[in-house]
């Protein structure tokens, strides 16, 4: 089976690709921002499944929201409509597209820590994909994801978890602006299981929005910081941290992946 993955150098894509390449049934075709339009078309033609993860959420240039998020989605869909190609497309959106208060006061925008133009671009991509599904009967899965964390996530970019782990592992101070805020967390390996199931799920509608996920962890920002600090204290004292739950094991794995090389032993 030929599979296309956009945003192939990103956090979610790297974890998915790593999982798929060991199965000889799958041939993974990577699409990055350096892939030419000609090459993208070649990949689209031969791929049965398209995992569409490309996009930016904290660019230096605000025009990147349109160029990297919306324009690529439109390019893919316009081509598939023109060629009347039916594909299965799995798209990573954000749960924030359902939050109207993103466009309210500045305080509310800061509180969700998501740029409104990022949300707007994801919503526009959803609309483009919906339009395509009506025109060529492609199967579309929109994943409105919460905070995803795990190995290979970028600090200061992908998730608060990777930022906290990176800071603690490198002896930097964590600043808590809203310590009692509760966030919903989804571990990357749990997401990969979902993504692989969607590849073969046959009893589906033409257009599917998924916003409920198994194994979601609800927790305050302060509690996360406390647990990660305890990991560091335990390591410094040569103790194995107490991990009474799956969540703590997943969090510890993320913390370990952020350790500098000179602290890995």
């Amino acid at each position: 089976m030929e599979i296309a993955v956009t945003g192939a150098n990103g956090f979610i894509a790297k974890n998915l690709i790593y999982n798929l390449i060991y199965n000889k049934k799958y041939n993974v075709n990577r699409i990055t921002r350096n892939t030419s339009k000609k090459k993208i078309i070649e990949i689209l033609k031969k791929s049965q499944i398209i995992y569409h993860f490309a996009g930016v959420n904290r660019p230096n240039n605000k025009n990147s929201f349109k160029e990297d998020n919306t324009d690529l989605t439109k390019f893919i869909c316009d081509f598939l409509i023109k060629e009347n190609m039916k594909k299965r497309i799995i798209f990573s959106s954000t749960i924030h597209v359902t939050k109207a208060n993103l466009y309210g006061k500045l305080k509310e925008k800061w509180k969700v820590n998501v740029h409104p133009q990022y949300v707007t671009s994801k919503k526009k991509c959803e609309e483009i994909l919906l339009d395509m599904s009506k025109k060529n009967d492609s199967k579309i899965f929109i994943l409105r994801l919460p905070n995803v964390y795990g190995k290979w996530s970028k600090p200061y970019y992908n998730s608060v978890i990777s930022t906290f782990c990176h800071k603690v592992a490198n002896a930097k101070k964590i600043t808590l602006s809203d310590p009692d805020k509760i966030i919903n967390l989804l571990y990357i390996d749990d997401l990969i299981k979902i993504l692989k199931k969607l590849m073969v799920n046959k009893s589906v509608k033409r257009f599917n929005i998924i916003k409920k996920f198994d194994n979601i962890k609800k927790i305050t920002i302060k509690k996360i910081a406390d647990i990660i600090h305890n990991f560091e204290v335990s390591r410094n004292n040569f103790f194995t941290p107490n991990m009474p739950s799956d969540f703590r094991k997943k969090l510890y794995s993320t913390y370990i992946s952020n350790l500098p090389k000179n602290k890995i032993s």
Side-chain angles (χ1 to χ4, degrees):
M1 178 184 289
E2 296 286 339
I3 298 172
V5 181
T6 75
N9 292 329
F11 165 46
I12 295 175
K14 283 199 295 186
N15 277 274
L16 177 65
I17 291 169
Y18 182 81
N19 191 284
L20 293 177
I21 58 176
Y22 291 101
N23 190 326
K24 293 182 179 180
K25 292 192 301 182
Y26 307 128
N27 183 46
V28 179
N29 302 279
R30 297 167 172 83
I31 296 174
T32 71
R33 59 168 41 93
N34 296 320
T35 307
S36 68
K37 288 187 176 181
K38 180 180 178 181
K39 183 63 176 178
I40 292 174
I41 287 173
E42 290 177 9
I43 292 173
L44 293 177
K45 283 181 177 179
K46 66 182 179 180
S47 298
Q48 292 84 45
I49 310 289
I50 301 170
Y51 286 101
H52 186 20
F53 302 140
V56 294
N57 57 20
R58 290 179 175 86
N60 294 324
N61 184 347
K62 291 182 180 179
N63 291 331
S64 294
F65 286 120
K66 181 176 183 296
E67 294 168 1
D68 292 351
N69 297 5
T70 311
D71 288 355
L72 177 60
T73 302
K74 189 174 187 304
F75 175 79
I76 290 171
C77 291
D78 284 350
F79 173 76
L80 296 178
I81 291 170
K82 179 184 174 183
E83 300 297 322
N84 194 28
M85 291 183 174
K86 298 179 183 180
K87 304 289 182 178
R88 179 170 292 223
I89 301 180
I90 299 152
F91 175 67
S92 60
S93 187
T94 171
I95 196 65
H96 293 299
V97 299
T98 64
K99 297 184 177 181
N101 65 359
L102 275 169
Y103 302 95
K105 298 178 181 179
L106 181 62
K107 182 179 179 182
E108 291 301 318
K109 181 178 73 173
W110 167 84
K111 197 168 185 179
V112 295
N113 197 29
V114 175
H115 199 293
Q117 283 184 248
Y118 168 71
V119 180
T120 300
S121 68
K122 286 293 186 179
K123 183 62 176 174
K124 181 63 178 176
C125 289
E126 289 189 13
E127 293 168 356
I128 293 169
L129 288 161
L130 172 60
D131 180 66
M132 187 193 69
S133 73
K134 292 176 179 177
K135 291 178 177 177
N136 75 352
D137 206 32
S138 287
K139 293 287 192 300
I140 309 295
F141 298 86
I142 305 292
L143 277 70
R144 290 183 177 168
L145 296 172
N147 294 276
V148 181
Y149 72 101
K151 64 184 182 299
W152 304 332
S153 57
K154 294 180 183 178
Y156 312 106
Y157 190 83
N158 287 127
S159 81
V160 66
I161 298 291
S162 57
T163 301
F164 283 5
C165 287
H166 174 79
K167 284 189 171 184
V168 171
N170 289 277
K172 296 180 180 179
K173 183 180 178 181
I174 292 177
T175 301
L176 303 179
S177 301
D178 193 359
D180 296 324
K181 179 182 175 182
I182 297 174
I183 59 174
N184 296 330
L185 298 172
L186 177 61
Y187 187 54
I188 185 63
D189 288 358
D190 294 324
L191 175 59
I192 298 307
K193 291 176 184 176
I194 295 167
L195 293 172
K196 291 180 70 176
K197 285 180 180 178
L198 293 177
M199 193 192 317
V200 296
N201 190 337
K202 294 181 179 180
S203 58
V204 294
K205 300 179 292 184
R206 184 173 56 196
F207 189 80
N208 306 269
I209 294 178
I210 302 170
K211 52 188 177 181
K212 292 184 179 181
F213 302 91
D214 294 333
N215 300 317
I216 292 291
K217 177 66 177 180
K218 295 179 181 288
I219 189 170
T220 66
I221 295 288
K222 184 179 185 304
K223 185 65 174 177
I224 294 168
D226 289 344
I227 294 171
I228 296 171
H229 273 301
N230 286 336
F231 290 159
E232 182 74 358
V233 170
S234 295
R235 279 185 57 83
N236 289 340
N237 288 291
F238 304 102
F239 289 118
T240 301
N242 183 30
M243 289 179 279
S245 66
D246 283 344
F247 170 69
R248 291 209 180 205
K249 293 174 184 176
K250 295 169 182 176
L251 192 58
Y252 187 68
S253 175
T254 308
Y255 161 76
I256 290 295
S257 72
N258 279 273
L259 286 174
K261 290 182 179 179
N262 65 341
K263 293 183 71 173
I264 297 175
S265 59

